[in-house]
Amino acid sequence: MEHVVLNNKVTMPILGIGVFQIPDLVECERAVFDTLQSGYRLIDTAASYLNEEAVGKAIQRSGVARDDIFVTTKLWVQDAGYDKTKQAFERFIRRLGLDTLDLYLIHQPYGDVFGAWRAMEELRREGRIRAIGVANFAPDRLMDLIVNSGVVPAVDQIETHPFHLQLETQKFLQENGVQIESWGPFAEGRNDIFSNPALRSGARAHGKTVAQVILRWLIQRGVIAIPKSTHKERIVENFDVFDFVLSSEEMNAIAELGTGASDFFDHRDPSVVKRISERKLPV
């Protein structure tokens, strides 16, 4: 396993598993358990995924030492704000069955972000969280947070895959000491990604799958990846990406696939802001 060092010197695995869209708690617990048994040590969940309890149960029965597992969860919009963020954190910790959290992210750039950020920084100073960051923050929103809070996020988790390269955003993040993390590394199968000629060519050249080539492409760029799978054979397969290297020509061929636009939605679209902000989670 390769690691990255965050801006507060915390070490984070560069490859893990995400559990978005695994609402079945039994299935989620099994997937996380299989992930930990396969050697992964990074688990990414969120309040909005409604499966934190299953993640916690898998961690507890995995037999892996807690100190060896890097756990991330995310704060939903309805809990943004100083007091609500503190209260939400207690719920998250209880559901996960943990005493501390490794990485806590503001999930969306909406609502009382600054109140939430103050609460998260306090929790970090108290030793209850090792690192804090954001997700889905564009460079302008991130700079607003940095300048007006004085605290630089450790991570920005954003849509990053062969069709949405995020090269300029990654450069901006690097210049400001923020680690880029990819969500949706396989673009959820959109645009026939697993049949793409450039990706298939790389897979054939290295005796790997398209999924493995995509993950290797991200890792070589220094991007943390958290692919989702509930199938043990694919979980194992996705971990087998540290024994080959893509050439500069192969990296460039993948970079040519970028469209410069999201394959999902624009976080600056007013209708998207409204829809996300109005989604309420059960407490």
Side-chain angles (χ1 to χ4, degrees):
M1 172 59 69
E2 297 177 15
H3 295 77
V4 298
V5 179
L6 305 181
N7 59 22
N8 64 345
K9 309 305 181 185
V10 168
T11 300
M12 181 176 180
I14 202 166
L15 179 64
I17 187 174
V19 294
F20 177 53
Q21 294 181 329
I22 315 180
D24 183 285
L25 298 186
V26 173
E27 184 177 41
C28 181
E29 182 180 344
R30 183 179 67 250
V32 174
F33 180 82
D34 288 343
T35 294
L36 292 170
Q37 297 303 304
S38 301
Y40 294 77
R41 293 297 179 262
L42 168 60
I43 310 296
D44 180 278
T45 185
S48 69
Y49 302 169
L50 305 178
N51 55 20
E52 290 170 307
E53 185 176 352
V55 170
K57 287 181 178 179
I59 290 171
Q60 290 166 19
R61 72 181 183 92
S62 69
V64 179
R66 169 67 185 96
D67 289 347
D68 293 336
I69 305 174
F70 196 100
V71 183
T72 303
T73 195
K74 309 180 194 74
L75 178 81
W76 190 243
V77 182
Q78 74 190 59
D79 292 316
Y82 180 84
D83 290 331
K84 290 190 290 184
T85 296
K86 288 285 189 79
Q87 295 163 8
F89 176 78
E90 298 301 335
R91 293 198 303 273
F92 302 157
I93 287 293
R94 184 172 63 252
R95 289 171 185 163
L96 286 164
L98 304 177
D99 295 322
T100 59
L101 192 62
D102 297 289
L103 178 63
Y104 195 20
L105 305 179
I106 296 178
H107 203 158
Q108 304 289 348
Y110 312 135
D112 186 4
V113 167
F114 284 93
W117 195 238
R118 287 195 304 273
M120 291 165 65
E121 173 61 8
E122 283 188 11
L123 289 165
R124 189 198 64 79
R125 288 199 303 266
E126 293 167 1
R128 305 197 67 195
I129 306 169
R130 297 178 65 211
I132 59 176
V134 297
N136 301 306
F137 274 55
D140 61 327
R141 299 297 295 124
L142 189 65
M143 183 56 74
D144 181 34
L145 182 62
I146 293 171
V147 170
N148 290 296
S149 74
V151 179
V152 180
V155 170
D156 190 3
Q157 186 183 117
I158 54 177
E159 177 191 350
T160 313
H161 50 73
F163 305 128
H164 197 33
L165 307 174
Q166 300 282 19
L167 296 178
E168 288 302 314
T169 298
Q170 183 176 8
K171 180 181 178 182
F172 169 83
L173 295 177
Q174 289 173 334
E175 290 172 347
N176 287 278
V178 182
Q179 171 66 45
I180 184 174
E181 180 176 16
S182 160
W183 64 255
F186 303 145
E188 295 186 3
R190 299 184 186 202
N191 300 331
D192 295 320
I193 192 169
F194 294 112
S195 300
N196 183 274
L199 296 171
R200 292 184 69 180
S201 175
R204 286 194 299 271
H206 295 279
K208 296 291 184 176
T209 66
V210 166
Q212 289 171 318
V213 166
I214 293 170
L215 294 176
R216 186 67 215 174
W217 170 74
L218 288 167
I219 289 168
Q220 285 183 216
R221 285 181 52 192
V223 179
I224 298 170
I226 44 170
K228 166 223 166 184
S229 181
T230 58
H231 302 284
K232 187 173 183 179
E233 64 275 13
R234 291 179 188 163
I235 290 170
V236 172
E237 174 186 291
N238 289 343
F239 195 69
D240 186 21
V241 293
F242 297 101
D243 61 348
F244 74 107
V245 176
L246 297 174
S247 68
S248 57
E249 291 79 11
E250 290 167 330
M251 293 289 287
N252 291 334
I254 296 173
E256 291 178 2
L257 302 178
T259 65
S262 169
D263 275 63
F264 297 90
F265 47 79
D266 182 356
H267 278 84
R268 293 172 174 168
D269 182 334
S271 65
V272 171
V273 177
K274 186 175 188 293
R275 174 170 55 84
I276 289 177
S277 297
E278 290 181 345
R279 183 190 175 208
K280 303 300 181 185
L281 308 179
V283 178

